[in-house]
Amino acid sequence: MTAITLQPRAARASRTGAFLRSVPPGVKLAALVVALYVLAAVAPGVLQPHDPFSTDLDSSLLAPSLQHPFGTDQSGRDLFSRVVEGARQSLAIGIGATALSFVIALVLGIAAGLGPRLVDGGVNRFLEVLFAFPTLFLALLFVAVFGQTVTTQIVAVAIGTAPGYARIIRGQFLQVKGSTYVEAARAVGHPYPRIVAQHIFPNAMRPLVVMFTLGVGQAIVWASGLAFLGLGVAPPSPEWGALLDAGRNYTTSAWWLEVMPGLAIVLFALSVTVVGRHIQERLEGKVKVQAL
């Protein structure tokens, strides 16, 4: 009885060990960085050495030190604590904007990829009109009309990025729709709804999981760009783009106000990209898990 119980556990431990050995050190480091960002968003108090909203004018614009790793801002607030506090809003904007963008893109992409030729043509013309406007312009226009809130920032970034995702999703569904196994399913007489549910949809959606992962980092960069232009979340929000916007008047006298939040954005986007690319390689079978 003991042997029967231990065998599956040993097999699972063996597979887990083989999986971990197959992950490159750089990917492990990137995953650790992403985990720290998630921890900062979920439980910021664990990482914050100071109150992110407590002001102390006597300590304003202090350079980075052991007491203040990222320095202090013009109001004497600890910048590291504010960057950690801003992770919640920034990740919420990134994930929310990417999710909304994918919903819009899925509706348009699936309608074009699986619908009749007339619908495909109509969706393509609509996407071409949207592509005529730069992504940032669409986002700026939406925020300028509806105001500076987290919700409008999420919707603005989603509207700006959805056309690109819709074009990719349409191409993915058309590619799977024309594959040999779909043609074989049609040849044996399977009904079209069954073919879509069992063959086209699962195979077309699989690569999109990776695209969503990569899109979160991109959305945060776009949202930060909006905030830097003065159309982000209003102060005293510690959202990363808002921190960049607040520090641009002190670029020559207090460089850390721009560099530190900027590094936080770049590090997150880079880490998410590395993890997403590795997931993509595994899904495509380019990474082989070594057996014991």
Side-chain angles (χ1 to χ4, degrees):
M1 192 69 177
T2 305
I4 294 175
T5 305
L6 291 178
Q7 258 187 341
R9 292 182 181 177
R12 284 195 297 269
S14 172
R15 287 194 296 269
T16 303
F19 171 78
L20 291 176
R21 285 195 299 273
S22 70
V23 178
V27 178
K28 292 178 182 177
L29 180 60
L32 177 61
V33 171
V34 173
L36 287 175
Y37 276 91
V38 173
L39 176 63
V42 175
V46 175
L47 302 176
Q48 290 170 338
H50 302 281
D51 183 350
F53 299 102
S54 177
T55 60
D56 181 8
L57 295 180
D58 293 332
S59 302
S60 62
L61 300 179
L62 294 179
S65 62
L66 291 177
Q67 186 178 2
H68 302 285
F70 284 7
T72 61
D73 64 6
Q74 62 273 22
S75 298
R77 295 170 294 201
D78 181 66
L79 188 58
F80 178 78
S81 299
R82 288 182 64 74
V83 169
V84 171
E85 185 69 24
R88 178 178 301 171
Q89 273 192 347
S90 297
L91 266 63
I93 291 172
I95 295 172
T98 306
L100 180 58
S101 177
F102 262 67
V103 170
I104 299 171
L106 279 172
V107 172
L108 295 175
I110 292 175
L114 298 181
R117 187 170 298 179
L118 182 63
V119 174
D120 185 21
V123 171
N124 267 326
R125 299 296 84 77
F126 177 67
L127 292 177
E128 286 171 3
V129 171
L130 293 180
F131 275 123
F133 299 95
T135 301
L136 188 59
F137 175 79
L138 289 174
L140 284 171
L141 183 63
F142 188 88
V143 174
V145 171
F146 293 99
Q148 299 172 234
T149 64
V150 173
T151 303
T152 54
Q153 202 166 5
I154 289 173
V155 177
V157 174
I159 291 174
T161 55
Y165 291 138
R167 181 67 62 86
I168 294 172
I169 291 171
R170 171 187 174 272
Q172 186 68 25
F173 272 87
L174 286 176
Q175 180 183 2
V176 175
K177 185 180 177 181
S179 61
T180 54
Y181 55 85
V182 171
E183 293 179 359
R186 285 177 176 172
V188 297
H190 289 172
Y192 188 65
R194 180 180 173 186
I195 294 174
V196 171
Q198 292 187 354
H199 299 288
I200 298 179
F201 200 82
N203 288 287
M205 290 296 294
R206 189 178 301 159
L208 302 183
V209 176
V210 179
M211 195 167 70
F212 182 89
T213 306
L214 301 176
V216 172
Q218 181 187 13
I220 289 177
V221 172
W222 279 115
S224 300
L226 286 175
F228 184 75
L229 293 174
L231 291 173
V233 184
S237 168
E239 191 267 329
W240 295 336
L243 293 179
L244 286 174
D245 180 46
R248 62 180 173 176
N249 295 326
Y250 301 89
T251 304
T252 56
S253 58
W255 55 267
W256 53 90
L257 296 182
E258 291 285 285
V259 171
M260 297 307 185
L263 284 177
I265 296 169
V266 171
L267 183 60
F268 178 78
L270 179 62
S271 300
V272 169
T273 300
V274 170
V275 173
R277 292 296 183 190
H278 184 72
I279 295 173
Q280 182 179 23
E281 290 175 356
R282 285 191 172 274
L283 290 176
E284 293 176 354
K286 295 180 180 179
V287 178
K288 294 182 179 179
V289 180
Q290 298 177 353
L292 285 175

